Amino acid sequence: MAKKGARGQGADDLAKVGDQVREFRLDHATKKPIQVQHRAEPMKYVRRERIHPRRVLPRVREGKPRVFPSLSRPLSFHLQAAGVALRATADDLTLSANTELSGPGAKQMASTVGEPSVCAAGQVVMYTGNWYAARSADAGQTFQFIDPFSSFPDPPNLSFCCDQVVNYIQAIDTFVWLLQYGPNSGPQQDNIQRLAFAKSADVAAGNWSLFDITTPGLGVKGQFMDFPDLAVGSNFLYVTTNLFTPDGQLAGAAVVRIPIANIGTPNVAAQAYLSPDPRFNSFRVAQNCGTTAFFAAHGDTSTLRVFSWEETENAPTSQDIGIAPWVGGQGYQSLTPDGRRWLDRTDPRLTGATMAKNELWFAWSVDGGSGGLPNPFVQVAHIDADNLTLLENVNVFDQNSATAYGALSTNSDNEVGISYMIGGANKFPSLMVGVLTNSRRDLQVAAGDRGTADGQWGDFLTVRPLFPDKKLFAATGYTMNGAGDGSNRDAAPRYVVFGRSGVGAVLDGSSSPQTKTRRPKPPEPAGPLPPTPGADGAPITDVNALSVVSAVVAAKIKAAAGLGAAPQASELAAAAPAPEADKPGTERWPVKTGQDQDRAKVGKNIINGQNLGAGIVESTIAELSSLPRPPGLQVATQNPPEFQSVRDGVTEVTIWRIDAVIIALTHESDGDYHLGPGGETMVGEVPTPTQVFVGDSPWLANLQQARQEIDQKLVKSLSPQSFTLVNDQYLPHGAVSGTTVVRETADPELRFDTPPAGSLRVQPLFATRIAPTPARLTGVGFFDRAHGATGAAPNVIELHPVLKVEWT
């Protein structure tokens, strides 16, 4: 709680502003709850005739120079770029959800000014963007959409426009959904901020009660409310909004506090604080603020005015705090790899605010040149809430890219979580999450494939504690995926749940659309744990924690692997006929199973000394089949002993992902499942996932999950009655011709699937064609020796091992 009369370092003044508070009641919009419809897909984009123009905030005035040698602690960071593996240290970050909401972009309802917001409690998740809304009843695995334009009755001459925010009040198990409405005609004035309330069960069922904050209620009739936000304290819900005159001039800002005890009753009382000076705007009340609401605004470029509104007081007090000077303006300088600007819309309004114990954190975006740093970045003021003094300046920056739009929140361990965007000359706008307190960690959860044609990205993201397990954070963000449709309304929103590895979050680095459900945690392998991933020299241990690299990075990796190079026909043509196969499980077996000395290089994507960021590279069978075999392995029929436990070239240290059709399945005598993709063919192999076959491979858990997928989908449906034992292998009856048959028909009790670890059951060898089955296969590149394998690619490239199987 702020001490009355306290003056912190750099403080310029302390003012009582009690005469700026107004009491009023929210307008009860409907007598009964409104039931909304949940749709599998959002409504198709329909161009609105009238959307209020963007209101540009006045430039923050220049502040005086300040120096904080003992307090300013800029923190540079490295991108962990793909996630953290299953057995990360307790300080590392893991993901338990990473769901793409593909519907809004497909219907052109997700603009590059995305403004995604989320809150989650148990299985129920509420998610909003500028023009769409969605809810999940299965913890964010899938979402159903709500049309914010038509779901609720419109007040006279008003309709839903754009801005939306959601939050959750744990004390009364209530979701709060704020929707901004604007005039249909006439001057841009006298709009409303609509609050919809619903218990968790009612959110799942679609029942919402509506209350409106009006400009007459605030005592600012004729003005327009914009840029809303929500925060929850101990006993009050806080709503913030900017105020504009009909001609678009900034008139200040308002903070509305609503007693939580009144929510759910027909008459909801409220108090509104109105900023007496238009300079102080874009308030953000600190999340997790307790019994004192702290909010802030810029006084100038080296001064932050912090307001303290105790629950027992009728009005807030304010205090100016000196901070590290920064460079602002309207629009910041950052170009994407295709030369396009992406921060033209950015300004220094506060985008994040939270409280952890007795410390405040306020975040905003600043332009390059601030603090001597070359690129725009997120600046954070870390403040002692007891005496309102600056503790430190925390800068979320990167030397090669810009960062912006930092959102903040606090978990039950009093750690400060952040969600923000990163982009620049080497990276399209991509989504990051992180934890600023204790051991600083940052994690890229979604890489963008392109920028925006209009230079606009913004205005905010969201991060919240995940209820009831508040050790985890729920976050939002979005990227631009694929080639795009040219509309700038096809962004890909994303729902992310993250936390420290030590809190037991289940990993999932999937970049799949929202129709793909989360994978269960792979079974724990027996024996010693593999090395900790992420540490120097340690291998990646979980492919599920990796995201797909951007198209630009993928192109660099493919070029380094030789894609497009002229084929070395003479060396391949010189290959001798394939000899008899060597003893199974010996030829380059360490490389095939991750027991080799180069396994720590796999998936890291370090090309010619340049770290492109760990992740998966999307490709095709045609591309992989055209890659040249690297020096030392050019002759496809030879198996040089020097590569027995060494990987050769870029291809064999890359984790690839391809879409294929599996048409054949073989269980070979070395324990591998041999997957025969259709069309242009190549081979994928999944070793038997036990230590007997793969030793201390760091990918044991992935292999177990991949093998389980194949067993469940393809192997368990094989009927022994359809097979004949030919020599030592079971073949379909129709495949037997002129061969010595040991037994006509397989034992009806025979099982073809993988026996459990430690089981005495023996898995028989078999080979069969199957009904064409589409799949997405993720695995490590490997150049095998040519020995007549069915379906082998011309260059005998394989995915060996296959680490992940997804059915498409």
Side-chain angles (χ1 to χ4, degrees), residues 593-607:
T593 56
Q595 300 177 76
D596 60 289
Q597 65 188 50
D598 292 331
R599 63 186 183 178
K601 301 177 182 178
V602 174
K604 302 291 182 64
N605 299 328
I606 299 176
I607 307 298

Side-chain angles (χ1 to χ4, degrees), residues 87 524-533 538-541 599 696-701:
R87 292 175 194 83
E524 294 289 342
L529 297 178
T532 300
I540 288 170
T541 62
R599 63 186 183 178
D696 68 342
S697 172
W699 308 316
L700 180 56

Side-chain angles (χ1 to χ4, degrees), residues 272-285:
Y273 163 72
L274 303 177
S275 170
D277 188 335
R279 287 184 304 149
F280 302 113
N281 57 77
S282 302
F283 291 141
R284 287 264 157 165
V285 175

Side-chain angles (χ1 to χ4, degrees), residues 258-280:
I258 302 167
I260 291 175
N262 283 1
I263 296 174
T265 65
N267 297 312
V268 179
Q271 287 181 314
Y273 163 72
L274 303 177
S275 170
D277 188 335
R279 287 184 304 149
F280 302 113

Side-chain angles (χ1 to χ4, degrees), residues 528-786:
L529 297 178
T532 300
D536 289 342
I540 288 170
T541 62
D542 184 27
V543 72
N544 293 304
L546 296 178
S547 62
V548 175
V549 302
S550 70
V552 173
V553 170
K556 292 180 180 179
I557 294 170
K558 292 174 185 178
L563 182 64
Q568 300 167 331
S570 59
E571 293 172 304
L572 293 176
E580 290 288 324
D582 292 332
K583 183 178 180 181
T586 58
E587 288 188 351
R588 302 192 74 198
W589 191 249
V591 179
K592 292 180 178 180
T593 56
Q595 300 177 76
D596 60 289
Q597 65 188 50
D598 292 331
R599 63 186 183 178
K601 301 177 182 178
V602 174
K604 302 291 182 64
N605 299 328
I606 299 176
I607 307 298
N608 297 323
Q610 182 182 6
N611 188 348
L612 300 180
I616 298 166
V617 179
E618 287 193 313
S619 188
T620 64
I621 294 176
E623 284 185 341
L624 295 183
S625 298
S626 69
L627 294 178
R629 293 176 67 91
L633 294 178
Q634 295 102 322
V635 181
T637 56
Q638 294 181 2
N639 194 34
E642 61 266 31
F643 291 100
Q644 175 65 11
S645 188
V646 175
R647 296 178 184 271
D648 195 7
V650 172
T651 301
E652 289 195 341
V653 294
T654 301
I655 299 176
W656 305 92
R657 188 171 83 176
I658 62 172
D659 288 328
V661 178
I662 300 175
I663 61 172
L665 180 63
T666 303
H667 177 220
E668 299 181 326
S669 56
D670 61 0
D672 284 0
Y673 274 173
H674 175 127
L675 309 178
E680 297 172 298
T681 61
M682 63 177 285
V683 169
E685 301 206 27
V686 189
T688 298
T690 66
Q691 290 183 324
V692 174
F693 284 85
V694 301
D696 68 342
S697 172
W699 308 316
L700 180 56
N702 287 152
L703 295 173
Q704 290 173 331
Q705 184 64 39
R707 190 83 168 207
Q708 182 181 353
E709 289 286 348
I710 298 295
D711 280 335
Q712 292 291 335
K713 182 77 172 181
L714 303 178
V715 179
K716 285 190 174 182
S717 61
L718 299 177
S719 171
Q721 303 296 329
S722 302
F723 285 79
T724 299
L725 183 62
V726 181
N727 298 327
D728 295 320
Q729 188 178 45
Y730 284 97
L731 301 175
H733 292 322
V736 179
S737 176
T739 309
T740 301
V741 177
V742 176
R743 186 167 50 218
E744 289 291 335
T745 304
D747 183 346
E749 300 299 319
L750 188 69
R751 293 181 56 182
F752 290 101
D753 60 318
T754 307
S759 170
L760 297 179
R761 177 163 66 87
V762 176
Q763 185 177 17
L765 307 180
F766 64 87
T768 183
R769 284 191 171 273
I770 61 172
T773 306
R776 178 168 291 166
L777 305 178
T778 303
V780 185
F782 176 79
F783 287 104
D784 202 3
R785 181 179 62 82

Side-chain angles (χ1 to χ4, degrees), residues 111-145:
S111 72
T112 53
V113 186
E115 303 181 357
S117 180
V118 75
C119 58
Q123 296 292 304
V124 182
V125 182
M126 189 67 190
Y127 195 110
T128 61
N130 238 341
W131 299 337
Y132 63 90
R135 78 94 170 91
S136 172
D138 58 9
Q141 296 184 59
T142 60
F143 283 87
Q144 295 74 45
F145 295 91

